[in-house]
Amino acid sequence: MESTVQNLRRVTLFTDLSDEALTRVANVAFRRTYEADETIIFEGDPCRAAYFIAEGRVRVYRLSPGGREQVLARLGSGQTFNTVPPFQPQGVNHATVEALTPVALYVIVREDFRRLVGECAELALVILQDFADRLDHLTNLVEDLSLHTVRGRLARFLLEHASAAPGGSGVGIQATRHWTQEEIAAHLGTVRDMVGRTLRAFADAGLVRVERQRIILLDREGLEAEVQH
Amino acid sequence: MKLLMEDWALPEIDLTLCNRCGTCVARCPTGAVEMGSDGPFIARPADCTYCTECESMCSQEAITCTYEIVWGMDS
């Protein structure tokens, strides 16, 4: 049991829980392992549990009716998934989750999770804080999706994530963190193909230049105009 | 100007995620990727155009082509 407590302590959601509260979580959590490529839960299936990643990486995605896949997130050790549906009366899994590597999870079945949150105010508070953060993020995303096209959202993303000041270094550019097109798509609530297509459209319009491992912003005013779309 | 290969960014292949299916080798438009004994690798770096085809086709998400977002000099 001690190792379960120690492992659960590494889950971000549980980091600040008291030993007593965490022991209560450990009493109902059980460890389960999956091979790479194995599907852990399917979108639309009745929710049976909440999951906490001890080791490995998973991919969370949804499929459109046309079969188009939207990757919502890639999660690793310390992160959680399927913590929302247990609290819905007819809760179903909101997305499919697949193991990218061998994965070890701590699983808390739906009924235990609900009961625990009802009995332990400390746990209820951290769950509420997590949900509040998600709600905040989703509210911003809904506003973005309602008011802006992918062109507008991508233009804003590029402006917000490029280096703060143009042309500051000796070679005329300043480095920022690295992004894959899929990560950008997940951030914007769209799919990778749309990001690639829109980047090419921006390049054709002279707003950016896409080079090896670099998206170079060329026209600030043009990109700011795109944000309004 | 001589091409410095250390500045020549290439797709990154995570062999711990790769299932050796060979799709990246088959789909690389310039034939820059080959299958080695440990898995796929960029055998001809100079031929890689960083088109991201290998990344988009990899079902294991084992290949990543990353970008930094930077300002151009005159922007």
Side-chain angles (χ1 to χ4, degrees), chain A residues 37 59 74 179 192 212 217, chain B residues 9 55 60-61 67 70:
Chain A
D37 296 335
R59 186 168 68 116
R74 275 184 213 78
W179 297 85
R192 183 187 187 281
R212 212 176 180 82
L217 311 194
Chain B
E55 179 193 48
Q60 298 303 110
E61 300 182 16
Y67 293 88
V70 296

Side-chain angles (χ1 to χ4, degrees), chain A residues 192, chain B residues 21 23-24 27 52-60:
Chain A
R192 183 187 187 281
Chain B
C21 70
T23 302
C24 52
R27 296 296 293 264
T52 77
E53 179 77 2
C54 54
E55 179 193 48
S56 69
M57 297 308 300
C58 179
S59 63
Q60 298 303 110

Side-chain angles (χ1 to χ4, degrees), chain A residues 79-99:
Chain A
Q79 294 183 288
T80 63
F81 59 89
N82 226 42
T83 53
V84 173
F87 297 104
Q88 297 172 306
Q90 306 293 330
V92 295
N93 302 328
H94 293 160
T96 299
V97 181
E98 181 183 273

